[in-house]
Amino acid sequence: MAAFFVLDEDLSTHTGLETRIAALIAPTLVDLGYEIVRVAVLGRDVPTVQIMADRADGSQITVDDCEQISHAVGAVLDVEDPIPGNWTLEVSSAGIDRPLTRVKDWVRFAGHLAKAEVNIPVNGRRRFSGVVLGGDEAGGRLRLDDGSEVVLPFAELRKAKLILTDALIDAAQREAGVEPEGEAETSEDVSSSAAPTGRGRQKKPGARRH
């Protein structure tokens, strides 16, 4: 199972192949105007390297963006060779019900519902769901159903993800410049299209080069 980790400015506190790959590809993606949301390596015989990315300007990521990232990341991994043997590269956008992997994600999506799981119990439990209250160096903060608040240390987060709700979809549509249903004008000259809910993906076969 892939490790869950936070990708912020300092990667030195993280270990493992995913963090090494993130450190290798981050400068290239930053130069192209992208940010890493998550890196995961799945499988053994022919592992799949999954890269989840955002546009640095906050605009909607497209299939063309994923293709550009795929070519750039593939070139870096071919040269640096962090993975022995053959591998496959998969690039995707974060999607609407995206994972919360960085402090900025917890801050950006404050007020929306999320679920999370930790490696070591916090207040006697491992799984949580509630309203995102923000985040800082101490961890991500949630308000639970009973009204209590909890801080989930990033070092112990196994996974955290937004819960798909109408409010979240409306927020995503507004970010994409699309008026949510019910708010659009009714004039025949005005058309409205739903914000993308899927994830653009590009797969690139890779092979170790000698």
Side-chain angles (χ1 to χ4, degrees), residues 87-123:
W87 46 272
T88 298
L89 176 62
E90 181 179 283
V91 176
S92 72
S93 67
I96 296 179
D97 53 340
R98 57 185 293 139
L100 303 173
T101 63
R102 304 165 295 180
V103 172
K104 64 189 297 182
D105 297 330
W106 287 79
V107 173
R108 175 184 174 187
F109 293 102
H112 291 287
L113 294 175
K115 56 185 177 180
E117 184 176 339
V118 293
N119 293 313
I120 298 177
V122 175
N123 298 338

Side-chain angles (χ1 to χ4, degrees), residues 129-144:
S129 64
V131 178
V132 177
L133 298 178
D136 52 31
E137 293 79 4
R141 293 186 291 118
L142 287 177
R143 180 186 296 119
L144 307 181

Side-chain angles (χ1 to χ4, degrees), residues 3-7 35-40 50-54 92-109 113-117 132 154 157-164 168 199 201:
F4 177 94
F5 57 94
V6 181
L7 287 171
E35 297 177 340
I36 299 173
V37 175
R38 186 179 68 186
V39 174
Q50 293 183 339
I51 309 295
M52 189 175 289
D54 272 340
S92 72
S93 67
I96 296 179
D97 53 340
R98 57 185 293 139
L100 303 173
T101 63
R102 304 165 295 180
V103 172
K104 64 189 297 182
D105 297 330
W106 287 79
V107 173
R108 175 184 174 187
F109 293 102
L113 294 175
K115 56 185 177 180
E117 184 176 339
V132 177
F154 287 125
L157 266 180
R158 182 173 179 271
K159 57 184 177 180
K161 184 179 182 182
L162 291 172
I163 296 173
L164 192 63
L168 182 61
R199 298 176 180 175
R201 297 182 176 217

